[in-house]
């Protein structure tokens, strides 16, 4: 049981790296065509960028299905780690940062403010080149300091 919990936690943490890597080298690289509308907003509920959800949801679902056919094995917990990261990503990116749902609008938490600031800096760049702050949950320390200073005012 402890091994399965560790597999889930390590997968969740690894997904932060995968998210950063995919964002920097795939989304701002050869699949910019799918990500561009996220930087240059269009009218409508959905973005082409939402296709990346499927790129992570499909392997997670398959791992959970194949890892639970006979009995739960490591594949299920890798899929679970990916799913939990996806839920965290949805809550942070879609709800907290981009306000697609009206939740957490009035939070004054320093960590959440730092995440918002880092992502806002990322969106200053409207093209795929010269971007910064590609991560989601791990934020450079300078944004914590800025968020902490502004929270004290």
């Amino acid at each position: 049981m402890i091994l399965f919990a560790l597999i889930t936690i390590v997968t969740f943490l690894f997904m932060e790296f995968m998210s950063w890597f995919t964002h920097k080298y795939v989304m701002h690289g050869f699949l910019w065509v799918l990500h561009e509308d996220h930087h240059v907003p269009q009218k409508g509920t959905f973005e082409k960028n939402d296709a990346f959800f499927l790129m992570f949801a499909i392997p997670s679902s398959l791992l959970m299905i194949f890892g639970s056919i006979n009995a739960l094995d490591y594949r299920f917990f890798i899929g679970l780690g990916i799913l939990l990261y996806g839920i965290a990503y949805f809550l942070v990116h879609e709800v907290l940062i981009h306000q697609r749902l009206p939740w957490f609008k009035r939070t004054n938490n320093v960590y959440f403010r730092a995440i918002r600031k880092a992502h806002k800096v990322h969106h200053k760049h409207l093209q795929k080149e010269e971007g910064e702050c590609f991560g989601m949950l791990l934020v450079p320390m300078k944004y914590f300091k800025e968020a902490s200073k502004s929270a004290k005012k």
Side-chain angles (χ1 to χ4, degrees):
M1 194 61 168
I2 291 174
L3 178 62
F4 290 153
L6 281 173
I7 290 171
T8 304
I9 292 167
V10 168
T11 301
F12 182 92
L13 296 174
F14 182 71
M15 287 306 297
E16 176 66 9
F17 166 75
M18 281 305 299
S19 174
W20 170 85
F21 180 85
T22 304
H23 191 185
K24 183 167 184 162
Y25 295 108
V26 176
M27 298 164 89
H28 280 256
F30 66 95
L31 287 181
W32 174 251
V33 68
L34 293 177
H35 187 59
E36 184 178 14
D37 65 350
H38 185 62
H39 282 264
V40 184
Q42 314 289 316
K43 287 187 176 183
T45 304
F46 295 103
E47 302 171 343
K48 288 187 281 184
N49 184 62
D50 295 334
F52 289 104
F53 159 78
L54 294 174
M55 293 179 196
F56 289 105
I58 290 171
S60 172
S61 300
L62 291 174
L63 283 162
M64 292 179 76
I65 290 168
F66 291 118
S68 62
I69 288 177
N70 293 323
L72 295 181
D73 67 23
Y74 70 93
R75 293 173 295 184
F76 177 85
F77 294 96
I78 292 172
L80 180 62
I82 296 170
L83 170 67
L84 292 174
Y85 187 84
I87 292 169
Y89 187 93
F90 172 79
L91 291 173
V92 169
H93 186 260
E94 305 304 330
V95 177
L96 179 72
I97 295 172
H98 290 291
Q99 298 288 306
R100 283 184 162 189
L101 297 172
W103 307 337
F104 314 126
K105 281 192 169 200
R106 300 190 180 267
T107 184
N108 202 23
N109 179 284
V110 171
Y111 174 64
F112 291 152
R113 291 171 65 103
I115 287 175
R116 280 186 181 151
K117 177 69 178 172
H119 203 75
K120 188 175 180 179
V121 168
H122 175 75
H123 276 275
K124 278 188 349 187
H125 305 279
L126 299 178
Q127 301 299 317
K128 70 179 189 176
E129 295 86 10
E130 300 178 13
E132 56 186 301
C133 295
F134 291 96
M136 178 55 55
L137 301 177
L138 297 178
V139 178
M141 188 54 75
K142 70 179 183 181
Y143 299 113
F144 277 107
K145 291 177 183 173
E146 288 178 20
S148 181
K149 284 181 187 172
S150 66
K152 291 178 184 175
K153 291 181 181 177

